[in-house]
Amino acid sequence: MLNVVTKDEAVEIVKSNSLTDLKTEKVNIDNALFRILAEDIVSVEDIPSFDRSTVDGFAVKAADTFGAGNAIPAQLEIVGEILMGEKAGFTLENGQCAKISTGGMLPKGADAAVMVEHTDCDNSLCLVYKAVSPNENVTKKGDDISVGETALKKGTKITSAEIGVLSALGIYEVPVFKKPVIAVISTGDEITDGTPEDGQIRDVNTNLLSSAITEYGCEVYKYGAVRDNKDEIKNALVTCLEKADAVIVSGGSSAGARDMTVDIIDELGTAYFHGIAMKPGKPTIFGTVLNKPVFGLPGHPLAAYFVFRLVVAEYIRKMLSLPADKPISHGVLKENIPSNHGREEYICIKQTDNGETVPVHTKSGIISVLGEADGFIKITRNTEGLPKGTTVEIFEL
Ligand code: AMP
Ligand code: MG
């Protein structure tokens, strides 16, 4: 392979070829799930918009309860009840209180709430057995989100949690990026999308990569499988370049006689690198054709997976302003893990019930490891294996 780069160099190159003028659109909140926010969401309202009680009990002036205890309760006059969803029609004066429920709006003059458990009342008199300080048991106006506060950041993937925040702010038309389209072509004479006959295997990568693309907030154009035939692959690539913003070609990325991806990219455009110092995933190509990025991924599904996860995903992150990849947890290695100097290596791991991290041993050419693993760890280029007992960062698969 010519022109082998480190994984970090590869990421820099693909990121510098990322689309920068991605279009945005507004979608109804009902259709916003898993879309990517195209703008910071800055609140124009205070949430809550009024002071609210966080307990069932009585709205009070805190000062009226000072010194109250089990032996000497404060005695307050009950002047009314605050109904949910309504504003009190009165103002609390000194020595007065009003019945309130969790979430009810504090009346004017009140600055705290006492829990019903700490009171003993009849219809007009309330004995308060526990003092409260100002603002106790109260959510103040703007406590949750205040005017001018950035409630959600551009590049956030909208999940049910973000849908909740948007609903609280009343943002029902949500600004999101238009989904970039990424095409997937699988190559290989042995690949079939039907029932495999002797010598054939099922196409794993079309679906694997398509779903990875979807997970990262993009749209897929699934071309399907083509044979190791230069014209067929070229035609597929040209069609995909018309339909998509970027293309992934799986298989045929090495330097053998049947590996044609790099020549095709070079004939139609420019290949920037051929080979990344990573394992799995070394035979990876990146280039542009008609100003659109083309990724040549190794056909081995595990390798294709890791190249997507570590390289293609970085391209998508840049394009959609997604946050940086971060470990999801840490673990302590239960055994030594050997690795070669000079390339970054990715090891699928499992977390045992007592918190130890063990590698999932891969039989080469096998996809099952992805189903078995809880995550993966990285061994950097300059490290020669990791000894048992090392604390490692665990990344999400
Ligand atoms: P290649 O990168 O084309 O040399 O393929 C490497 C290995 O991955 C070979 O064993 C292929 O049969 C296998 N392979 C290639 N493409 C796919 C695919 N789409 N699905 C499953 N296995 C594949
Ligand atoms: Mg092949």
Side-chain angles (χ1 to χ4, degrees):
M1 260 169 265
L2 299 170
N3 201 1
V4 177
V5 294
T6 67
K7 197 270 291 174
D8 291 342
E9 287 166 346
V11 167
E12 282 316 305
I13 294 169
V14 303
K15 274 162 72 176
S16 67
N17 282 282
S18 209
L19 285 181
T20 49
D21 58 344
L22 216 54
K23 301 241 171 7
T24 65
E25 60 186 334
K26 288 213 168 169
V27 294
N28 187 272
I29 195 159
D30 288 339
N31 301 319
L33 192 66
F34 301 144
R35 300 295 298 268
I36 312 295
L37 271 181
E39 294 169 15
D40 285 349
I41 300 294
V42 178
S43 181
V44 294
E45 283 176 27
D46 279 323
I47 308 290
S49 59
F50 53 88
D51 296 351
R52 303 179 83 191
S53 173
T54 61
V55 296
D56 289 330
F58 292 87
V60 298
K61 286 180 179 293
D64 285 342
T65 71
F66 291 171
N70 277 338
I72 321 162
Q75 295 192 24
L76 302 178
E77 179 199 353
I78 302 172
V79 292
E81 178 172 358
I82 295 127
L83 299 175
M84 291 302 281
E86 290 186 23
K87 188 174 169 170
F90 50 83
T91 300
L92 280 195
E93 305 296 344
N94 289 343
Q96 295 183 333
C97 68
K99 209 166 176 232
I100 197 164
S101 304
T102 303
M105 179 176 179
L106 251 64
K108 271 206 184 117
D111 62 357
V114 292
M115 288 172 80
V116 69
E117 291 87 333
H118 299 143
T119 64
D120 189 11
C121 306
D122 60 22
N123 283 337
S124 57
L125 186 71
C126 184
L127 301 179
V128 177
Y129 290 96
K130 192 164 181 273
V132 286
S133 41
N135 297 333
E136 193 167 333
N137 299 325
V138 171
T139 305
K140 299 286 285 180
K141 174 180 175 176
D143 257 1
D144 198 353
I145 306 170
S146 53
V147 173
E149 190 178 328
T150 300
L152 297 170
K153 284 227 153 69
K154 174 180 175 178
T156 300
K157 182 175 185 174
I158 299 170
T159 65
S160 50
E162 283 74 27
I163 296 282
V165 176
L166 292 164
S167 297
L169 292 170
I171 297 176
Y172 301 127
E173 295 299 318
V174 186
V176 295
F177 285 114
K178 281 200 169 164
K179 290 185 185 184
V181 183
I182 303 185
V184 180
I185 306 166
S186 284
T187 69
D189 288 340
E190 75 283 24
I191 308 301
T192 173
D193 39 25
T195 305
E197 311 215 338
D198 280 351
Q200 293 186 320
I201 57 166
R202 289 200 182 87
D203 179 3
V204 173
N205 293 344
T206 295
N207 291 334
L208 182 145
L209 295 167
S210 296
S211 50
I213 289 165
T214 309
E215 271 177 353
Y216 277 81
C218 301
E219 190 150 323
V220 182
Y221 178 72
K222 256 191 200 187
Y223 190 90
V226 298
R227 301 177 63 78
D228 287 317
N229 171 290
K230 204 165 180 177
D231 289 334
E232 263 189 59
I233 301 172
K234 249 189 191 172
N235 283 339
L237 183 56
V238 168
T239 303
C240 287
L241 286 163
E242 278 166 19
K243 307 264 186 197
D245 299 301
V247 183
I248 299 176
V249 182
S250 134
S253 63
S254 294
R258 313 189 63 74
D259 297 318
M260 284 163 267
T261 309
V262 78
D263 292 340
I264 293 171
I265 295 176
D266 261 335
E267 279 169 34
L268 300 177
T270 314
Y272 298 130
F273 61 75
H274 186 192
I276 303 180
M278 62 188 276
K279 185 189 174 191
K282 187 174 184 205
T284 295
I285 306 159
F286 179 74
T288 51
V289 176
L290 301 173
N291 284 324
K292 290 184 178 175
V294 179
F295 296 86
L297 264 48
H300 187 304
L302 194 61
Y305 181 83
F306 275 104
V307 176
F308 183 92
R309 180 69 179 73
L310 277 308
V311 181
V312 183
E314 292 303 318
Y315 165 83
I316 299 173
R317 273 186 223 287
K318 170 81 192 291
M319 192 162 50
L320 293 174
S321 307
L322 300 177
D325 191 17
K326 281 201 274 300
I328 43 167
S329 64
H330 289 77
V332 177
L333 289 183
K334 197 186 175 190
E335 53 191 84
N336 297 330
I337 302 187
S339 123
N340 287 335
H341 197 94
R343 59 190 180 194
E344 189 162 295
E345 198 163 334
Y346 313 100
I347 313 281
C348 289
I349 58 92
K350 267 181 91 70
Q351 287 289 78
T352 65
D353 288 342
N354 49 10
E356 287 168 317
T357 302
V358 291
V360 182
H361 291 289
T362 49
K363 293 161 263 175
S364 118
I366 299 270
I367 180 86
S368 58
V369 59
L370 284 179
E372 235 181 278
D374 297 324
F376 71 94
I377 62 168
K378 299 179 185 176
I379 304 180
T380 60
R381 228 157 48 83
N382 304 317
T383 311
E384 214 155 299
L386 295 173
K388 172 180 170 175
T390 306
T391 299
V392 287
E393 294 183 327
I394 298 170
F395 291 83
E396 191 169 25
L397 273 171

